Amino acid sequence: MSGFWKNRTHNLARMSLQDLIRAFFTYPSVLGYIAIALVSFYLVARWYVSPLPLVVAWVATGVVYPAVWYVLHRWVLHGQYLYRSPLTAAVWKRIHFDHHQDPHNLVVLFGALYTTLPTIGIVTLPIGYWIGGPAGSAMAFGAGIVITLFYEFCHCMQHLNTAPKTRFMKRIKQLHLAHHFHNEQGNFGITNYLWDRLFGTFYAKAKNVPKSATVFNIGYTEEMAAKYPWVNKLSNYTRGDGNPRRFRSEPAPGESI
């Protein structure tokens, strides 16, 4: 990485909203999302036939996206099978374990493009094509990218050490931080908690559910690490079970926040 991201820790606990905005819109994955979305909307214009299928494709993507996120977050990212294979351990570590180990590390908060883009494509392209042909598929894919960007930014805001200004952001931050610091077996949504409510994993307040013993290691306990050591080795044997891993209190020489 270069520019604003070079030699920086990007600790959300020590960043301002202005720092976050600057970091967000200079992060390579975010720039990649924006570029891909622009290409998608260019193809929408090129293949345009009528507006109604495009509107329906966008709305359908917005309806399906929270359900897909819930399924992936609950049963894949919080599942216990990816870390059991040396073939998938590094992926699981990168896309979720590291985030729960250090919730303030902005670098591991963002999804990895090699996992997010195929998922967005698999979900949105068939829906869009069924609704509106090539233009509909391009619109649905572009909508998936835009929604992903919105999710990513809201996720960053949920971990930023500032008080949100809007009622919506205050609420989703409270719910998401409970997922990270109280009980990880609930509140799987990021901006939409409908599916948590439908599947019984929603809790409005921490006092409504017991404190989880695996809230920071998300099930990759010392016992599991002994049986399936690959994530532990990749983590240099520094798993945090009782507390999330913390940033260094001071940046290393040559680094800034």
Side-chain angles (χ1 to χ4, degrees), residues 25-88:
F25 287 103
T26 56
Y27 189 69
S29 292
V30 171
L31 296 177
Y33 283 133
I34 293 172
I36 294 168
L38 291 175
V39 171
S40 297
F41 296 137
Y42 165 77
L43 293 175
V44 170
R46 185 171 182 178
W47 296 332
Y48 175 82
V49 177
S50 63
L52 182 59
L54 301 182
V55 173
V56 175
W58 185 287
V59 172
T61 301
V63 171
V64 170
Y65 194 101
V68 173
W69 168 254
Y70 180 87
V71 169
L72 292 176
H73 193 188
R74 180 177 180 182
W75 284 295
V76 178
L77 301 184
H78 280 264
Q80 295 190 11
Y81 52 89
L82 289 180
Y83 66 69
R84 298 187 181 204
S85 168
L87 299 178
T88 54

Side-chain angles (χ1 to χ4, degrees), residues 207-220:
K207 66 180 181 180
N208 295 344
V209 295
K211 172 82 172 183
S212 170
T214 57
V215 69
F216 301 128
N217 61 41
I218 54 176
Y220 189 63

Side-chain angles (χ1 to χ4, degrees), residues 110-216:
F110 291 111
L113 289 181
Y114 65 85
T115 62
T116 57
L117 289 178
T119 303
I120 294 169
I122 290 170
V123 172
T124 63
L125 291 174
I127 293 174
Y129 192 86
W130 179 72
I131 294 171
S137 63
M139 176 61 86
F141 187 72
I145 297 293
V146 171
I147 294 170
T148 298
L149 284 169
F150 177 67
Y151 266 51
E152 293 278 39
F153 188 77
C154 287
H155 195 190
C156 292
M157 287 290 292
Q158 287 165 333
H159 289 283
L160 190 66
N161 192 25
T162 60
K165 301 296 184 182
T166 67
R167 182 178 179 182
F168 169 75
M169 281 304 308
K170 288 179 181 178
R171 183 57 171 160
I172 65 171
K173 179 170 184 171
Q174 173 196 3
L175 296 173
H176 185 66
L177 292 185
H179 170 82
H180 269 277
F181 294 95
H182 184 71
N183 191 313
E184 83 286 5
Q185 295 303 318
N187 292 353
F188 292 101
I190 295 295
T191 67
N192 185 313
Y193 291 89
L194 171 64
W195 294 96
D196 280 288
R197 294 178 185 273
L198 292 176
F199 282 91
T201 55
F202 176 81
Y203 61 97
K205 297 181 180 180
K207 66 180 181 180
N208 295 344
V209 295
K211 172 82 172 183
S212 170
T214 57
V215 69
F216 301 128

Side-chain angles (χ1 to χ4, degrees), residues 214-230:
T214 57
V215 69
F216 301 128
N217 61 41
I218 54 176
Y220 189 63
T221 61
E222 184 177 358
E223 179 184 3
M224 291 294 102
K227 294 173 65 176
Y228 310 103
W230 302 287

